[in-house]
Amino acid sequence: MADPSSYRPRPGEIPDSPGVYRFRDEHRRVIYVGKAKSLRQRLANYFQDLANLHPRTRTMVTTAASVEWTVVSTEVEALQLEYSWIKEFDPRFNVKYRDDKSYPYLAVTMNEEFPRVQVMRGHKKKGVRYFGPYGHAWAIRDTVDLLLRVFPVRTCSAGVFKNAARTGRPCLLGYIGKCSAPCVERISPEDHRELAEEFCDFMAGRTGTYLRRLERQMADAAEEMEYERAARLRDDIGALKKAMEKSAVVLADATDADLIAVAEDELEAAVQIFHVRGGRVRGQRGWVTDKVEEITTGALVEHALQQLYGEETGDAVPKEVLVPALPDPVEPVQQWLTERRGSGVSLRIPQRGDKKALMATVERNAQQALVLHKTKRASDLTTRSRALEEIAEALDLDSAPLRIECYDISHLQGDDVVASMVVFEDGLARKSEYRRFQIKGFAGQDDVRSMHEVITRRFRRYLAEKERTGEWADGQDADTAGPGVGDVASDGRPPADGRVVPDDGEALVDGPALKDDDGRPKRFAYPPQLVVVDGGQPQVAAAQRALDELGIDDIAVCGLAKRLEEVWLPGDDDPVVLPRTSEGLYLLQRVRDEAHRFAITYQRVKRAKRFRSSPLDDVPGLGETRKQALIKHFGSVKKLRAATIDQICEVPGIGRKTAETVAVALARSTPAAPAVNTATGEIMEDEDGAPETTTDAPGEPVTAGTPDERRGQER
């Protein structure tokens, strides 16, 4: 615990002007970001008697080891810089709203030749019109299903669309009248785009025009005694009205507003947002946050506005934002919203009428969300705390292991040997810290040697970071530190600087985690309190030996063996047996299973990539187009290998020099081994009578057998 007086700036050093400040801990991580109209006055509040500080503020200033600031010219610039730094550094003591899901939107891809209606999540794309967010994807699909009767816009994927265009047959929706089938040219691109525009207008709230038009057409059809057409129009009107009923009318037709309500107690706060467009509630979303600092309702609203509109522009920011309390001061926030929208934005507290009544509804939703969250989390926090305490007691640790790293080795019969590292902090997975390794120190199957290599590489990088930042302990030998070798990128190749790249297939919360001296998280920069390896005595001994060789003696090591779920400690002949009902054992199992999942996922990706490779990939100067031309001409790599140079030259685009290079490369490559049916033992033959090779790409064998048999060979 640091004494704030040890890093307090000297009098007169802090400027009396607007700016943004950052508190850092002893590892140079940014732990808090704040803004101030006067940096001098704001920072002075942190360096007073600790007894006068709020408990959470006291924890922050005693965790910090330094403070720094950046001066800006206006409060609006301070607001923008604060938002950018909070997203960049992810400081642990800042208010961060935890959104438990990515809310789905109804999207119309107006940037395509034939616009498509679909459900979308995540970042918004340019040229796509969005409606929502909705609470559930099924609510969007129900609405779209009703509207397709009147606006039969394309909803199929690009693959289905191209296949229908190739075969000349539309999909089922085209046959039942819920798609205008532009894939088979039943409608021109211009008419289909106009149909998509009408769909967007209806979703935007301009509904009266289409209802009146359909009612007029229905009356005309009935008058002309076209009763079947009149019945279809009647059903279309009913579908539109039913779709409209799904969005309750709450305000006047022209009202576009977002209503934000906050429910809070001393420790947590819940925020609820209702999105009103065209007078109707088009979407709802909510967040929950820990109040890690002493903060007012107005400040909570300000943080919610930053998260809600920080990356939005144009019409995504409504004309009116109604809140329960105004930020102090309100002018910079209102100016910032106006800049995001490009026109005036009203930020105010509703005083009377329908808007105040709707705000009361939003507040009730916020209260219910907070109650539900506390009900769920109470047991969760208690369970996690008990699990960490049980682990500390069982392993005789000085304190609960707040950061646990687990390692696992995965391979398929000794091929594609990889390793994974997963991180749990406070009993929860920290996916942004996950890492994966490719074993390159040796070839073949040796889990113990692989574990030693991975632990060595990981903590060698940690020591290198300590050396670079000057954090060496007394007597520690800097010569043991050095960059890891063999660390791999997500495409399987070692990057130039030896860094380990996170798995692109994982939902990494923070994105790439390589950061620099400015306080961004650095790869391998933070040590765990506990290292868990998937395995028994040999793997544990290898991990401990790697740490001993690096001179690291303040990190505990244990292993969890799958057979009897025993916990092994270095140097012990007998395992530690935790009760089957132990929360500590359950947490270790979750950590181990997550490491196994992450490792085997990476191993399968590497194996699939190897299976998709072809001998033609090694031919210099042969691009994808000419490779496809060769395969199309000869039918397979086997037939291409048997062809003469003159026959290869007959392929369009292949000259004699290239043909000679291809022939030499194929002659050097080893033909694929025949596939064997492991159930019967027979060699499978192709139609020419030669042994058949099962391939994902020409020339490369795939392990034969059933999926279950192949999975049984994986480690």
Side-chain angles (χ1 to χ4, degrees):
M1 179 180 293
D3 183 359
S5 62
S6 64
Y7 63 89
R8 178 175 185 171
R10 288 179 293 182
E13 284 187 348
I14 308 175
D16 189 17
S17 57
V20 182
Y21 55 92
R22 295 177 288 186
F23 282 89
R24 296 177 181 271
D25 64 8
E26 59 183 359
H27 298 291
R28 297 289 297 162
R29 288 176 291 191
V30 175
I31 62 172
Y32 184 75
V33 174
K35 63 173 175 55
K37 183 178 180 179
S38 170
L39 286 169
R40 181 178 300 171
Q41 295 179 15
R42 177 60 59 83
L43 289 176
N45 294 331
Y46 293 101
F47 297 102
Q48 54 179 298
D49 188 354
L50 292 178
N52 298 331
L53 294 176
H54 189 279
R56 286 180 289 280
T57 305
R58 187 188 313 139
T59 302
M60 188 273 290
V61 297
T62 54
T63 303
S66 63
V67 63
E68 57 193 39
W69 55 85
T70 299
V71 176
V72 297
S73 56
T74 66
E75 294 179 63
V76 176
E77 288 184 26
L79 183 71
Q80 293 170 335
L81 185 58
E82 180 194 33
Y83 171 73
S84 300
W85 279 357
I86 289 175
K87 284 188 68 67
E88 183 176 1
F89 298 120
D90 190 25
R92 56 179 290 198
F93 284 101
N94 273 94
V95 169
K96 294 186 292 292
Y97 292 105
R98 298 187 302 274
D99 197 353
D100 61 351
K101 57 181 173 293
S102 173
Y103 286 88
Y105 285 81
L106 171 58
V108 185
T109 57
M110 301 303 292
N111 56 348
E112 298 182 6
E113 180 183 6
F114 296 101
R116 175 190 176 194
V117 176
Q118 60 181 315
V119 177
M120 276 192 179
R121 297 177 184 265
H123 292 293
K124 295 184 178 179
K125 300 177 182 178
K126 188 176 181 180
V128 180
R129 292 196 62 180
Y130 293 88
F131 304 94
Y134 288 77
H136 303 280
W138 56 260
I140 301 178
R141 296 188 179 97
D142 285 352
T143 300
V144 171
D145 187 61
L146 292 169
L147 295 181
L148 288 180
R149 287 185 56 93
V150 186
F151 308 105
V153 186
R154 168 198 164 204
T155 58
C156 60
S157 65
V160 173
F161 186 89
K162 291 178 181 178
N163 185 60
R166 180 177 57 81
T167 60
R169 296 194 304 272
C171 63
L172 177 62
L173 292 180
Y175 282 112
I176 65 177
K178 287 194 173 183
C179 179
S180 53
C183 53
V184 293
E185 300 181 352
R186 287 185 187 173
I187 187 173
S188 67
E190 295 77 15
D191 290 341
H192 185 268
R193 179 167 292 275
E194 183 179 351
L195 196 63
E197 292 282 3
E198 292 178 349
F199 179 92
C200 292
D201 287 344
F202 186 88
M203 289 301 302
R206 294 182 280 276
T207 59
T209 303
Y210 299 102
L211 286 174
R212 287 192 295 270
R213 185 177 68 185
L214 290 176
E215 288 171 351
R216 187 166 55 252
Q217 291 175 357
M218 181 182 67
D220 293 342
E223 189 173 328
E224 295 172 5
M225 292 187 291
E226 297 180 4
Y227 298 119
E228 291 184 3
R229 178 166 170 264
R232 284 196 301 272
L233 290 169
R234 178 202 61 201
D235 294 341
D236 290 348
I237 293 170
L240 290 182
K241 289 183 176 179
K242 189 173 182 180
M244 291 168 59
E245 290 170 0
K246 291 180 176 291
S247 301
V249 178
V250 291
L251 300 173
D253 284 345
T255 302
D256 289 346
D258 283 350
L259 289 87
I260 301 175
V262 178
E264 57 182 313
D265 59 17
E266 290 184 355
L267 299 176
E268 295 174 308
V271 175
Q272 283 287 309
I273 302 103
F274 276 25
H275 301 275
V276 179
R277 299 294 183 269
R280 296 175 178 272
V281 178
R282 297 293 183 184
Q284 174 188 359
R285 64 199 303 183
W287 301 312
V288 179
T289 182
D290 291 325
K291 295 171 67 175
V292 293
E293 56 174 325
E294 188 176 8
I295 190 170
T296 64
T297 303
L300 286 171
V301 168
E302 181 179 315
H303 286 298
L305 292 172
Q306 285 180 322
Q307 178 151 333
L308 193 58
Y309 304 118
E311 298 182 7
E312 304 289 355
T313 56
D315 292 339
V317 181
K319 299 176 183 178
E320 193 172 10
V321 180
L322 305 178
V323 296
L326 294 174
D328 183 25
V330 68
E331 291 79 11
V333 179
Q334 190 158 351
Q335 184 179 343
W336 176 70
L337 291 174
T338 298
E339 291 176 0
R340 306 298 303 177
R341 177 176 170 80
S343 59
V345 175
S346 172
L347 178 63
R348 63 187 185 87
I349 303 172
Q351 300 297 329
R352 62 184 67 86
D354 293 339
K355 292 178 181 177
K356 184 173 177 60
L358 182 58
M359 177 62 80
T361 301
V362 185
E363 289 174 350
R364 284 196 297 273
N365 279 267
Q367 291 285 356
Q368 292 174 0
L370 181 61
V371 171
L372 181 61
H373 170 76
K374 292 185 76 67
T375 301
K376 288 181 177 179
R377 195 176 177 198
S379 60
D380 187 38
L381 275 174
T382 303
T383 301
R384 295 205 315 264
S385 299
R386 186 165 66 249
L388 294 173
E389 290 170 0
E390 288 180 2
I391 292 174
E393 183 179 353
L395 305 185
D396 196 22
L397 304 180
D398 295 334
S399 60
L402 299 182
R403 179 180 171 108
I404 300 174
E405 292 180 2
C406 185
Y407 298 82
D408 186 28
I409 309 297
S410 180
H411 55 80
L412 179 63
Q413 295 181 328
D415 293 331
D416 298 321
V417 184
V418 299
S420 67
M421 170 185 123
V422 302
V423 179
F424 274 57
E425 290 187 350
D426 296 331
L428 295 176
R430 177 86 168 177
K431 290 195 173 184
S432 62
E433 301 286 327
Y434 284 15
R435 300 290 177 264
R436 57 190 193 174
F437 303 80
Q438 196 170 265
I439 304 301
K440 292 191 172 183
F442 63 97
Q445 176 182 345
D446 189 336
D447 286 2
V448 175
R449 192 174 173 187
S450 299
M451 186 64 71
H452 180 273
E453 178 182 328
V454 170
I455 298 295
T456 300
R457 282 163 51 184
R458 184 266 182 266
F459 288 96
R460 187 178 288 160
R461 293 295 300 274
Y462 160 60
L463 294 178
E465 289 290 349
K466 288 186 67 177
E467 180 186 27
R468 188 171 66 84
T469 56
E471 295 176 10
W472 289 98
D474 292 339
Q476 194 166 12
D477 184 7
D479 293 336
T480 59
V485 292
D487 304 340
V488 299
S490 56
D491 60 2
R493 296 175 300 174
D497 58 358
R499 291 183 286 106
V500 174
V501 176
D503 189 346
D504 292 336
E506 290 297 309
L508 300 181
V509 177
D510 297 328
L514 179 60
K515 306 292 182 177
D516 57 23
D517 282 344
D518 286 339
R520 307 168 182 84
K522 299 181 286 289
R523 297 189 190 283
F524 302 129
Y526 314 134
Q529 284 80 47
L530 176 64
V531 167
V532 180
V533 298
D534 182 8
Q537 268 185 313
Q539 287 83 357
V540 173
Q544 186 63 57
R545 187 171 70 255
L547 292 177
D548 293 340
E549 291 169 356
L550 294 172
I552 299 175
D553 58 4
D554 57 351
I555 297 175
V557 179
C558 75
L560 186 62
K562 287 188 180 70
R563 190 170 64 90
L564 298 174
E565 302 292 18
E566 306 151 318
V567 180
W568 290 91
L569 297 177
D572 288 358
D573 294 331
D574 298 315
V576 176
V577 180
L578 294 173
R580 287 288 177 176
T581 57
S582 166
E583 292 294 341
L585 176 61
Y586 178 66
L587 177 57
L588 289 176
Q589 289 172 330
R590 282 201 298 126
V591 173
R592 188 268 318 278
D593 293 345
E594 178 70 350
H596 181 68
R597 179 200 66 81
F598 194 53
I600 205 167
T601 299
Y602 180 38
Q603 195 270 337
R604 286 172 177 169
V605 168
K606 283 183 59 62
R607 187 173 80 243
K609 183 177 179 180
R610 178 165 56 86
F611 286 163
R612 288 195 298 268
S613 64
S614 164
L616 295 177
D617 294 339
D618 300 328
V619 179
L622 191 65
E624 193 64 35
T625 301
R626 292 199 289 176
K627 281 194 288 185
Q628 294 296 331
L630 286 168
I631 296 301
K632 184 176 181 181
H633 182 84
F634 289 99
S636 69
V637 174
K638 176 183 175 183
K639 294 179 180 178
L640 174 59
R641 184 182 280 113
T644 65
I645 293 177
D646 291 336
Q647 290 173 329
I648 297 175
C649 288
E650 296 175 1
V651 179
I654 304 295
R656 187 165 191 85
K657 185 176 180 181
T658 303
E660 292 173 352
T661 305
V662 170
V664 170
L666 292 179
R668 290 174 177 171
S669 64
T670 304
V676 179
N677 186 326
T678 57
T680 63
E682 64 176 327
I683 296 178
M684 302 167 65
E685 296 186 348
D686 61 16
E687 56 188 8
D688 298 327
E692 178 185 5
T693 299
T694 306
T695 62
D696 281 354
E700 278 299 305
V702 177
T703 304
T706 66
D708 287 338
E709 290 166 343
R710 289 197 297 270
R711 279 194 293 270
Q713 299 167 7
E714 291 177 330
R715 166 65 174 81

